[in-house]
Amino acid sequence: MPRKSAAAAPPPPSPADDVANEPDLADFLKQLVNVDDVGVGDAGGDRFLHPRGAANADAVWSDLDNLDVADPIYMSLGAGGGALGALAAADHVRERVVDSPSPASVAGANGRGERDTRKEVAENRRDSNSPASVGGEPTGSGGRGGSGGPGSSAASAVKTFEHLGETLRVLSDQLRAARRPHESVPEVGGADRTAEATQRRLASTLDDISERLDVGSLVQLFVPKLQSRTGGALVMLQTFKAFTRVKTVHREKFWKYHRMSEGFFFNLSPGGDSNLLGLPGRCFLHSRPEWTPSVCCYQPTEYPRLGCAIDCQMHSTIALPVYFDDPRVRPAMPFAVMELLLDQQVTDMGRVFDTCVGALRGNGLYTAGTDRLGTEDTMRAALGSKLSRVGEGNDVALENMCHALGFPLAQCWIPNDDGLLIAAGAPYCVKDAMAFPF
């Protein structure tokens, strides 16, 4: 009797099927194929956006699915602003695993892939008085987005700071023309705001934050950079190795994440898709901090580097706008964004924020959001005498409500004198221990 042949396995879903089943992602991919001319053609952009059709999202998806993470397109599209962020975002939607560099590829790493914290701090502070070599990554680890190593990154950073005033004025003009609300351009170029002085203050701030945090961290600075293109200039946020500090047992992975971040150019100029701003872009344009206890809370379109962040064991993150003057006293546009990523999930982000605020103020710099984020004691103090007028019976009422309705958590929010809602010190009830960190 002839043996029955086994049924053929169904073919794997095609990229087109994936696009069809994800309408939001299909719209997102259109940002790639319909991208305006931003000067990437001469750099090799045509190699990707053509010849398969400028309106073929399925073709773009297929190419992304087969894209090698080391492919030069990450660098060739660097001038494209949002296009590069979109590329990486769509690539990581597929949860592509990016191989970590071997310990041998990072100079100074020991056989266990770990480092002595004191040695890290010493390396981070190396030559910090020289704006051409502030801080830095172990030599030989390279970088994306055209960064050829510590020297080229530092030189590019110096040039960016030298043109900071002009860049901010161009962005202000663009926002005004688009009728976007924004603050005035800060004064740049005074005795204490020269390119050299600003870089030294920022380098000292990064050192202080990295040393004071009691959790493993990556601290990196994003600075507006002017990029010429056909049809007008683009203002983009870019990070530099020279303004990055790493202190964690996952040192190699955190530096890999920074190298990936170097390849992103978050477009601040009007006209782009708001999804391509990324965390640094939103923080800059909205002039307020943004944080989350876990990067997994983001969608890939909200956080284009999500796939790499997960692969590199990033957990909590916070981004802060950086100012020359206190924005509550002298409102102005920020001149940079500081991004922190931590190697563990932190629920008390107010404590991390206070550390950053203290380091900034110690170096004559400021940030926003001190009325919205802080330690529990800070937020309690913001409520003043209102807490004493809250009846004790509220705790019992919340407990009864959780029991009757099966809620894992119930808590009250109390407005302060400025109308901001604060939960610190207010009545709450936790019926499910999993909800307690919230």
Side-chain angles (χ1 to χ4, degrees):
M1 181 176 183
R3 178 184 299 178
K4 291 183 178 180
S5 59
S14 68
D17 294 333
D18 288 337
V19 175
N21 294 331
E22 296 288 346
D24 291 340
L25 188 55
D27 290 340
F28 182 59
L29 286 172
K30 291 177 183 177
Q31 297 298 322
L32 303 184
V33 296
N34 295 328
V35 88
D36 191 16
D37 175 23
V38 290
V40 300
D42 295 338
D46 288 344
R47 171 186 169 280
F48 183 79
L49 297 177
H50 308 285
R52 299 184 62 184
N56 190 343
D58 294 341
V60 174
W61 176 280
S62 178
D63 282 352
L64 279 172
D65 197 35
N66 296 293
L67 182 64
D68 186 347
V69 72
D71 196 295
I73 194 164
Y74 277 89
M75 290 181 279
S76 68
L77 285 181
L84 180 61
L87 275 172
D91 186 31
H92 289 302
V93 166
R94 303 287 294 174
E95 298 181 358
R96 192 179 189 87
V97 177
V98 183
D99 294 333
S100 303
S102 65
S105 68
V106 182
N110 62 24
R112 299 184 306 277
E114 301 176 353
R115 297 183 64 87
D116 185 283
T117 300
R118 291 168 298 180
K119 186 175 180 181
E120 288 178 2
V121 172
E123 289 182 353
N124 276 336
R125 296 190 71 96
R126 183 180 62 235
D127 300 327
S128 61
N129 290 328
S130 169
S133 56
V134 270
E137 176 182 4
T139 304
S141 50
R144 292 189 184 277
S147 176
S152 61
S153 172
S156 181
V158 170
K159 186 175 180 180
T160 298
F161 276 100
E162 289 175 347
H163 295 89
L164 182 59
E166 176 190 358
T167 301
L168 293 176
R169 285 190 292 272
V170 170
L171 177 60
S172 177
D173 292 342
Q174 291 177 344
L175 293 174
R176 186 181 300 109
R179 299 183 180 180
R180 299 273 187 90
H182 66 286
E183 300 293 350
S184 60
V185 176
E187 296 180 10
V188 180
D192 61 340
R193 297 183 184 180
T194 62
E196 270 191 25
T198 300
Q199 289 176 85
R200 288 196 180 100
R201 290 160 69 184
L202 289 169
S204 178
T205 301
L206 296 172
D207 289 335
D208 291 344
I209 293 175
S210 185
E211 291 177 23
R212 294 177 188 177
L213 289 175
D214 57 4
V215 294
S217 63
L218 178 150
V219 189
Q220 59 186 3
L221 196 74
F222 285 84
V223 185
K225 182 177 181 179
L226 196 60
Q227 177 70 46
S228 299
R229 67 159 184 169
T230 303
L234 279 175
V235 178
M236 304 172 293
L237 284 176
Q238 184 181 4
T239 187
F240 302 94
K241 185 160 44 181
F243 289 95
T244 301
R245 303 293 184 271
V246 170
K247 187 185 73 173
T248 173
V249 295
H250 305 300
R251 184 174 176 85
E252 292 87 354
K253 289 194 172 186
F254 273 44
W255 274 118
K256 185 183 78 171
Y257 180 82
H258 169 69
R259 292 195 298 272
M260 173 67 75
S261 297
E262 280 187 305
F264 280 76
F265 297 78
F266 298 102
N267 185 13
L268 299 177
S269 297
D273 191 301
S274 60
N275 283 335
L276 304 183
L277 282 172
L279 174 57
R282 290 193 301 273
C283 178
F284 189 98
L285 289 180
H286 297 162
S287 296
R288 60 172 180 255
E290 182 175 320
W291 67 93
T292 179
S294 173
V295 294
C296 294
C297 296
Y298 284 117
Q299 294 292 324
T301 51
E302 298 172 317
Y303 195 85
R305 298 164 293 166
L306 177 61
C308 187
I310 294 173
D311 181 57
C312 293
Q313 297 181 277
M314 306 287 186
H315 291 275
S316 299
T317 185
I318 181 171
L320 311 172
V322 181
Y323 302 87
F324 285 117
D325 300 298
D326 188 341
R328 296 173 299 180
V329 178
R330 186 179 296 178
M333 185 184 298
F335 72 90
V337 169
M338 183 181 298
E339 181 184 46
L340 284 79
L341 292 110
L342 309 178
D343 63 3
Q344 57 185 271
Q345 189 165 315
V346 175
T347 55
D348 187 8
M349 290 299 290
R351 178 175 52 83
V352 175
F353 178 72
D354 274 9
T355 299
C356 297
V357 171
L360 285 165
R361 289 181 176 173
N363 290 280
L365 300 171
Y366 299 86
T367 190
T370 53
D371 57 341
R372 300 171 183 268
L373 183 61
T375 63
E376 184 175 352
D377 290 341
T378 301
M379 303 314 290
R380 279 174 176 266
L383 288 175
S385 61
K386 291 190 175 185
L387 283 178
S388 62
R389 300 198 297 269
V390 177
E392 296 182 359
N394 288 287
D395 291 316
V396 177
L398 291 177
E399 184 175 356
N400 291 337
M401 182 176 67
C402 287
H403 179 75
L405 300 177
F407 290 165
L409 167 71
Q411 65 181 24
C412 292
W413 294 76
I414 302 174
N416 66 1
D417 293 337
D418 296 324
L420 298 175
L421 295 175
I422 297 175
Y428 70 91
C429 174
V430 176
K431 296 296 288 184
D432 186 339
M434 294 293 291
F436 188 79
F438 179 82

